[in-house]
Amino acid sequence: MDFNDFREFGKAAVDFIADYLQNIRERDVLPSVTPGFLHNQLPSEIPNKAENWNIILNDLESIIVPGLTHWQSPNFHAYYPAETSFGSIVGELLSAGLGVVGFNWICSPACTELEVIVMDWLAKFLNLPDYFLNETNGPGGGIIQSTASESIFVAVLAARNKALKFLKLKYPNIDSNAELYGKMIIYSSEQSNSCIEKAGLLSGIPVKLLKTDEMLSLRGDTLKEQINNDLKNGLHPIICIATIGTTATCAHDTLIELGPICVENNIWFHIDAAYAGAAFCLPEYKHLLSGLEYADSLNFNLHKFMRTNFDCCAMWYKDTNDVINSFNVDRIYLRNKYENQTKWAPEYRNWEIPLGRRFRALKVWITLRTLGGDGIREFIRNHIHLAKIFEKFIENDSRFETITKSSLGLVCFKIKGSNELTKRLLENLQERKKIYLIEAKVNDKYFLRFSICGFEPNESDIAYAWEEISEQTSKILNHVENVNKDEDFAENLIIDKKSVAWF
Ligand SMILES: Cc1ncc(COP(=O)(O)O)c(C=O)c1O
């Protein structure tokens, strides 16, 4: 492939993406393949001779695309959105084209410095505490990580190291770090994301998932009681990870109660706002910020709700020295003469796990400029508006109940009565592949999550989803009614309802 071929290939690829996104509603959101489908179609070794890009692009459409779940389809209502935008897609392409790797500042000064700047733009846009800004004289700052999982793991490791220093002073006779780690404990809520439990497993520190109130929010009294119990038992809480926008129902922990308790007990206070953090930019959601001023660190995914394609997680530290002191491994080949001389040239490798850094700031910069603050706010408000429309459909239909009030772009609902009905609905929907929802369970209540997702969803998409849900529900309820009638008719004939064939 030469430069001319590359130009043609690249343009064809952009055309391919434009066609894909523009016509995405025509595809079933879920694929019709079974495990191993790709193995049966692709050779088991790399080709010896270079192949023409035209053939490869054709194979993409005919072999790979049929095996995709279409996250950018507005008929995708599972998980949380993985939003993208034209600016972000081009930013990703440009970053790949420039091909820089930011080991340190001198490895590509623009890679580091653009990250410093966009992280400050974001912190201001989201109304975060000033101490998170790179531009202030304090020790705080922001960095782009891959995912919420990685950010939370880093926060846990930094908190563990900070606590280790403290415990070494408290227990001068204990030499073994492992023994001191054995005294540590992590707190989060029973509603928190699975990645928090994983951070505990990876760091070797047990996680206690604390009970939430009826709003599924972790409250101060619960945390206080747990701390008192654990201290009495010789345990040392190192970090409390609160969530704004939990995965199951988009509930919010009560930061304003949790924060002061963490400060009082010298516990690292981390906030996971992976999805909901984007809403901090809306004045009407100002209440979500209450208590944020106690945070030692915070993460939110631009790749969820802020139209920057995966992966892109923003993370801020109140005191970057906590991580730098934990992760700084020096080598002569990583040094450069401007190291640590100004706020604008941080050595980001010491704030995170990998050494090599992608130029993610480029896609963020282009996304923020191509959408503008107003465009982002409008986009998030539209998601909230669409969720409210769906919620109204549910509330106005006596066959259904909502589980919680809709929260941002998420509505949680079920068919009234037995959980079996809702499970059957999900099975039918997934078999038909017109729309994609997933299930969740909170306090033994089984329900479905309807999340607004996809590339530029609109009101017609919600009407389409509702029609599909309503129609499938009618079929299920009619079937149940017929089975019941048959049962009445054959009075003494006992039919195991579960064995009745569903359609
Ligand atoms: C609240 C919350 N935290 C963390 C995560 C994990 O995000 P990531 O895939 O970026 O690790 C999710 C994923 O949906 C989430 O909803």
Side-chain angles (χ1 to χ4, degrees), residues 79-80 146-150 152 191-196 243-248 272-275 299 301 303-304 310 313 449:
Y79 303 100
Y80 275 134
S146 63
T147 55
S149 307
E150 189 178 340
I152 290 166
Q191 296 300 319
S192 63
N193 187 265
S194 58
C195 70
I196 289 164
T243 311
I244 293 294
T246 57
T247 308
D272 173 19
Y275 166 68
N299 68 273
N301 286 353
H303 65 239
K304 277 190 161 54
F310 189 83
C313 177
R449 295 168 75 264

Side-chain angles (χ1 to χ4, degrees), residues 198-455:
K198 192 185 242 184
L201 288 175
L202 293 172
S203 62
I205 311 294
V207 179
K208 287 199 176 174
L209 297 177
L210 309 183
K211 283 246 162 290
T212 52
D213 68 4
E214 68 284 358
M215 302 297 284
L216 305 176
S217 168
L218 177 60
R219 304 296 300 270
D221 285 349
T222 310
L223 177 65
K224 209 185 252 176
E225 196 183 326
Q226 190 67 47
I227 294 173
N228 289 340
N229 286 344
D230 286 337
L231 290 177
K232 264 188 230 147
N233 291 323
L235 291 173
H236 183 80
I238 62 165
I239 185 169
C240 173
I241 302 160
T243 311
I244 293 294
T246 57
T247 308
T249 62
C250 198
H252 311 305
D253 290 336
T254 313
L255 307 184
I256 194 70
E257 293 177 3
L258 304 174
I261 297 170
C262 289
V263 172
E264 198 180 310
N265 290 279
N266 200 19
I267 297 172
W268 187 297
F269 189 40
H270 179 86
I271 294 165
D272 173 19
Y275 166 68
F280 294 159
C281 70
L282 301 179
E284 62 272 31
Y285 278 83
K286 209 169 141 198
H287 55 278
L288 293 183
L289 293 158
S290 173
L292 216 65
E293 65 275 20
Y294 295 100
D296 290 296
S297 53
L298 177 145
N299 68 273
F300 103 98
N301 286 353
L302 282 98
H303 65 239
K304 277 190 161 54
F305 213 0
M306 211 182 258
R307 307 208 67 182
T308 311
N309 51 288
F310 189 83
D311 51 5
C312 196
C313 177
M315 182 180 192
W316 286 272
Y317 304 105
K318 184 176 191 174
D319 186 347
T320 56
N321 293 316
D322 290 331
V323 265
I324 293 168
N325 294 338
S326 301
F327 301 144
N328 190 355
V329 179
D330 202 13
R331 287 289 184 280
I332 191 163
Y333 50 77
L334 292 172
R335 291 196 191 136
N336 72 89
K337 68 177 178 180
Y338 298 111
E339 201 166 4
N340 297 325
Q341 283 187 9
T342 104
K343 288 289 286 185
W344 308 111
E347 294 301 336
Y348 272 139
R349 70 175 186 281
N350 298 327
W351 301 26
E352 61 170 19
I353 295 169
L355 170 60
R357 318 201 66 244
R358 300 181 59 211
F359 194 1
R360 292 194 189 88
L362 190 60
K363 67 180 173 188
V364 176
W365 185 58
I366 296 175
T367 302
L368 298 178
R369 292 184 64 185
T370 49
L371 297 173
D374 286 348
I376 295 167
R377 277 186 284 263
E378 192 186 324
F379 179 81
I380 295 171
R381 284 186 179 123
N382 184 49
H383 271 224
I384 297 166
H385 166 68
L386 295 178
K388 292 249 179 282
I389 291 180
F390 183 78
E391 186 180 38
K392 271 268 163 304
F393 280 131
I394 294 287
E395 283 174 352
N396 290 340
D397 191 319
S398 60
R399 296 172 299 173
F400 296 99
E401 61 180 296
T402 49
I403 304 301
T404 48
K405 273 255 129 310
S406 72
S407 179
L408 298 173
L410 183 69
V411 184
C412 299
F413 72 100
K414 73 186 286 285
I415 300 177
K416 283 182 188 161
S418 154
N419 286 344
E420 288 305 313
L421 297 171
T422 307
K423 282 184 189 165
R424 181 57 52 184
L425 172 61
L426 184 67
E427 272 174 38
N428 282 12
L429 295 176
Q430 292 192 352
E431 271 164 30
R432 286 168 54 80
K433 309 177 200 308
K434 303 287 169 215
I435 58 175
Y436 180 28
L437 278 73
I438 54 164
E439 59 202 329
K441 203 171 182 188
V442 166
N443 297 337
D444 286 334
K445 200 151 200 176
Y446 175 88
F447 58 92
L448 303 186
R449 295 168 75 264
F450 184 89
S451 174
I452 307 295
C453 302
F455 197 78

Side-chain angles (χ1 to χ4, degrees), residues 164-200:
L164 187 66
K165 280 183 200 146
F166 173 81
L167 289 185
K168 281 190 167 179
L169 295 175
K170 189 168 173 196
Y171 301 100
N173 296 330
I174 302 182
D175 285 336
S176 144
N177 285 359
E179 200 175 330
L180 293 172
Y181 289 154
K183 294 182 179 296
M184 298 181 188
I185 197 92
I186 296 168
Y187 297 136
S188 197
S189 99
E190 59 187 356
Q191 296 300 319
S192 63
N193 187 265
S194 58
C195 70
I196 289 164
E197 224 172 308
K198 192 185 242 184

